[in-house]
């Protein structure tokens, strides 16, 4: 990101300290950073530390004569290629949604003519509140990109969505927002990701260990190349990549319906670990233990095969359909067989034996199986696998 510049607005939340790591990552990639702090942010992270890592003056006050004479707030709002609000509190999002400008940070956001990315962080109830959700939806409608929040434990001891996306995730979103329009501009790509949950009763379900990391990375890499991406994801603990259209589903049947309604698409990548079976008659009420302790007998029925269904479509079939094959043995044979059986164009095959650490891990070692043969890719991070695959898809669609 050599030569690019980011105006980073830090608002007041416990996560504000993570802004330091974000600035460090941006500086490492030669991106220049200017920070603006709200009054509350200054209680969580000092202007001095941000000044040290950004190697730039930090702005805090709308009515500072010295700041205004150096750089007026309107000029500040247009001085960067991208505005990033991280962390963005519920209060700040509400101000943005309503056009309120009552301090330097909110004035700068209102006055800018540059793209804006926000990374919300707040208590889970505040995030889930209808007011916050409506504010975020309004911002998205205006073209503001949203990254996160993540799910997990929070400083307030509650668990759920509300954690600031990790600095490396925000960094990746910044990177894709700042890169020039890519080769996939004008193309629509459908991506599935994550596991599916197949209910046994209202509280229990059948699932698998998929983290959604690879599928989400692919969606992000395709968006970074300019594609319009529809990401249909099962339940995962990670935020959608910036700039993708996310459809959350639970079951395989819901995933198939979401995929069908996302068509037409130029390409489709089926990275989800869809459950092969579901319980035939999921109970409406929680199953109780019987006095004799006998476990219930679960009758399973096969789920629809989404990849095979979409591959077999007529004129609505995407031009390029890519499936995944997660195997624990005889990888190459199974992958070539899968290519034929599913009717797709490519299979990305990987060995998910526990010893590889691939399932849920950060790295992947894949083999790209096409009609032309098998390509062995080296062990790479899942982000690198995603970037390579996205480039290959772009080449195939041109
Ligand atoms: O048959 P298997 O599950 O190994 O196939 C894996 C590939 O098929 C993946 O691309 C996966 O997303 C897709 N699949 C699907 N629907 C299913 C099962 C698998 O789309 N019900």
């Amino acid at each position: 990101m050599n030569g690019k510049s980011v105006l980073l607005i830090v608002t007041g939340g416990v996560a504000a300290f993570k802004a330091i790591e974000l600035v460090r990552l941006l500086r490492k990639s030669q991106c220049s950073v200017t920070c603006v702090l709200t009054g509350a942010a200054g209680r969580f992270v000092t202007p001095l530390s941000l000044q040290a890592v950004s190697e730039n003056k930090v702005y805090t006050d709308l009515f500072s004569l010295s700041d205004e004479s150096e750089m007026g707030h309107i000029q500040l709002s247009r001085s960067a290629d991208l505005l990033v609000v991280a962390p963005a509190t519920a209060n700040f999002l509400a101000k943005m949604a309503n056009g309120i400008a009552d301090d330097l940070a909110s004035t700068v956001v209102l006055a800018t003519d540059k793209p804006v990315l926000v990374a919300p962080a707040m208590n889970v109830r505040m995030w889930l509140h209808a007011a916050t959700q409506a504010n975020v939806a309004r911002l998205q409608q205006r073209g503001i990109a949203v990254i996160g929040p993540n799910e997990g434990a929070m400083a307030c001891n509650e668990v759920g969505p509300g954690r600031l996306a990790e600095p490396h995730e925000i960094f990746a979103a910044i990177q894709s927002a700042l890169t020039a329009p890519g080769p996939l501009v004008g193309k629509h790509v459908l991506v599935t990701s994550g596991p599916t949950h197949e209910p046994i009763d209202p509280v229990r379900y059948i699932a698998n260990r998929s983290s959604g990391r690879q599928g989400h990375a692919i969606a992000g890499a395709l968006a970074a190349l300019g594609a319009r991406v529809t990401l249909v994801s099962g339940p995962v603990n990670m935020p959608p990549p910036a700039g993708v259209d996310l459809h959350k589903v639970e079951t395989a049947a819901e995933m198939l319906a979401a995929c069908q309604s996302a068509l037409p698409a130029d390409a489709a990548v089926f990275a989800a670990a869809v459950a092969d079976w579901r319980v035939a008659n999921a109970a409406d009420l929680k199953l109780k233990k019987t006095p004799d302790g006998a476990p219930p007998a679960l009758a399973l029925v096969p789920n629809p095969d989404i990849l095979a269904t979409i591959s077999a479509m007529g004129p609505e079939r995407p031009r390029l359909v890519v499936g995944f094959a997660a195997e624990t043995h005889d990888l190459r044979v199974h992958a070539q067989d899968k290519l034929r059986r599913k009717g797709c164009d490519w299979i990305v095959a990987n060995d998910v034996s526990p010893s590889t650490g691939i399932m849920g891990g950060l790295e992947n070692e894949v083999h790209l199986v096409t009609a032309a043969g098998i390509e062995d890719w080296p062990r790479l991070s899942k982000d690198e696998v995603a970037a390579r695959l996205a480039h290959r898809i772009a080449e195939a669609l041109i």
Side-chain angles (χ1 to χ4, degrees), residues 192 252 255 269-277 303-308 322-327 338 341-342 347-348:
T192 69
M255 189 172 270
V269 182
F270 294 94
V274 184
D276 291 312
W277 308 280
N303 263 332
D305 190 313
I306 304 166
L307 171 62
V322 184
F324 270 69
E327 306 287 351
K338 200 159 286 179
R341 270 192 298 113
K342 304 259 184 177
I347 284 276
V348 180

Side-chain angles (χ1 to χ4, degrees), residues 76-83 109 111-117 144:
L76 186 61
S77 76
R78 320 235 163 121
S79 61
D81 298 300
L82 176 74
L83 261 66
V109 180
T112 194
D113 58 355
K114 296 295 187 311
V116 180
L117 168 74
I144 289 176

Side-chain angles (χ1 to χ4, degrees), residues 6 24 39 48 87 90 124 141 160 164 171 186 207 225-226 234 251 261 278 301 313 357 359 392-393:
V6 162
R24 210 185 53 73
L48 207 58
V124 52
Q141 273 162 17
L164 181 68
F171 174 78
L225 293 188
T251 64
S261 61
R278 66 177 184 278
V301 289
M313 288 182 93
M359 204 83 173
R392 291 297 295 269
I393 290 171

Side-chain angles (χ1 to χ4, degrees), residues 65 80 104 115 121-122 148-149 154 175 180 201 227 287 328 351 355 372 389:
L65 277 181
L104 178 63
M122 66 198 71
M154 279 180 284
Q175 223 172 3
D201 66 18
L287 296 175
T328 53
D351 182 349
S355 60
L389 187 64

